[in-house]
Amino acid sequence: DIPPRWALFGDYVILVNTPDQPLTIDAAGIVRLLCPRPPRTAALLTGVAGGTLSGTFQVRYTFFEKDADGQLIYETDYSANSNTVTIAAQNLHAAQLDTLPDSTTNGRRLNRTTTGTDTYFEWIDLDNNVGTEISDDTSDAGINTLSAPARGTPPYLTHIAEFRSRLFGVSSDDSDTLRYTEVDERFAWPSDNSFDVPHIGSDDRGITALIPRRDALGIER
């Protein structure tokens, strides 16, 4: 007696409410989690001989899946931050990387700080769901110049709507709050992407419908 609720987002259908986690269905009929859980273990950093990198670093990482054309299907929230390590003319070695069994995940993306900062940048991809360690000595100047993007795991959702290249959703666990994704990233639900809809706590139903219109998203409660 629980009705499924749907939204179209690009080439995907997003299904919520009936399943206990939001799902995506692609044009080939493949069903996936909208976004799996993040890695359970933090990376363990050490320095190993053979490289030229020097500095003080931390790392965090995500699970991801890419299609045959290299397009990102999903990327999870980040792992916890690693230990801090200082190396001199070495490779930075990351071990204890988590895997995600029984999933379509086909890679891990590692982000690292630049020396002397606490800002993370995309560092290196481990293109499998098997290996648990990787080494690299790319300099600070050689890694991605854009800071690591916002990520987040979607909650259980009872309502869903697409509006202006974002997904908007409501969870029964917090029915007064509207959650939304990053632009063009159906899988990225940062916890900061939310706002409360008045009148908070005035009833136990909260938001009851999302109504996309051309110039505005209607919210009913």
Side-chain angles (χ1 to χ4, degrees):
D1 60 349
I2 300 176
R5 295 191 171 103
W6 313 80
L8 292 175
F9 195 96
D11 295 332
Y12 292 83
V13 172
I14 315 300
L15 172 62
V16 303
N17 200 39
T18 298
D20 59 5
Q21 296 185 69
L23 302 177
T24 63
I25 306 168
D26 67 17
I30 297 173
V31 180
R32 299 177 175 87
L33 292 177
L34 176 57
C35 188
R37 61 166 175 79
R40 296 165 296 182
T41 59
L44 176 64
L45 298 186
T46 56
V48 296
T52 60
L53 182 63
S54 298
T56 300
F57 306 103
Q58 279 187 302
V59 165
R60 61 185 186 184
Y61 66 103
T62 61
F63 296 124
F64 68 77
E65 182 182 357
K66 292 180 180 178
D67 64 20
D69 296 322
Q71 299 299 308
L72 199 60
I73 296 175
Y74 63 72
E75 184 178 8
T76 69
D77 202 359
Y78 296 100
S79 69
N81 295 341
S82 71
N83 59 306
T84 302
V85 67
T86 299
I87 61 175
Q90 292 178 297
N91 278 305
L92 181 61
H93 182 76
Q96 294 187 174
L97 302 179
D98 196 13
T99 60
L100 193 60
D102 302 319
S103 76
T104 52
T105 291
N106 54 21
R108 271 71 51 79
R109 175 161 293 164
L110 285 76
N111 298 263
R112 82 163 204 234
T113 58
T114 51
T115 190
T117 77
D118 58 3
T119 302
Y120 284 87
F121 299 86
E122 291 184 9
W123 171 36
I124 193 171
D125 285 354
L126 180 57
D127 290 318
N128 61 61
N129 190 28
V130 179
T132 59
E133 55 189 293
I134 191 170
S135 295
D136 181 75
D137 67 345
T138 303
S139 68
D140 286 352
I143 64 176
N144 198 314
T145 57
L146 297 176
S147 58
R151 293 289 179 254
T153 306
Y156 167 73
L157 296 169
T158 56
H159 297 275
I160 192 80
E162 186 277 334
F163 182 69
R164 293 191 174 175
S165 301
R166 297 181 192 262
L167 285 174
F168 290 79
V170 181
S171 169
S172 59
D173 295 331
D174 188 8
S175 60
D176 292 319
T177 301
L178 186 67
R179 296 281 305 273
Y180 58 96
T181 66
E182 294 292 280
V183 174
D184 292 326
E185 293 188 322
R186 62 192 169 275
F187 49 81
W189 295 75
S191 57
D192 289 342
N193 285 17
S194 65
F195 59 87
D196 292 331
V197 176
H199 298 278
I200 301 168
S202 60
D203 56 55
D204 59 3
R205 299 178 64 194
I207 300 168
T208 57
L210 302 175
I211 310 167
R213 291 293 182 260
R214 185 177 65 181
D215 296 321
L217 176 66
I219 303 169
E220 178 180 309
R221 64 166 301 157

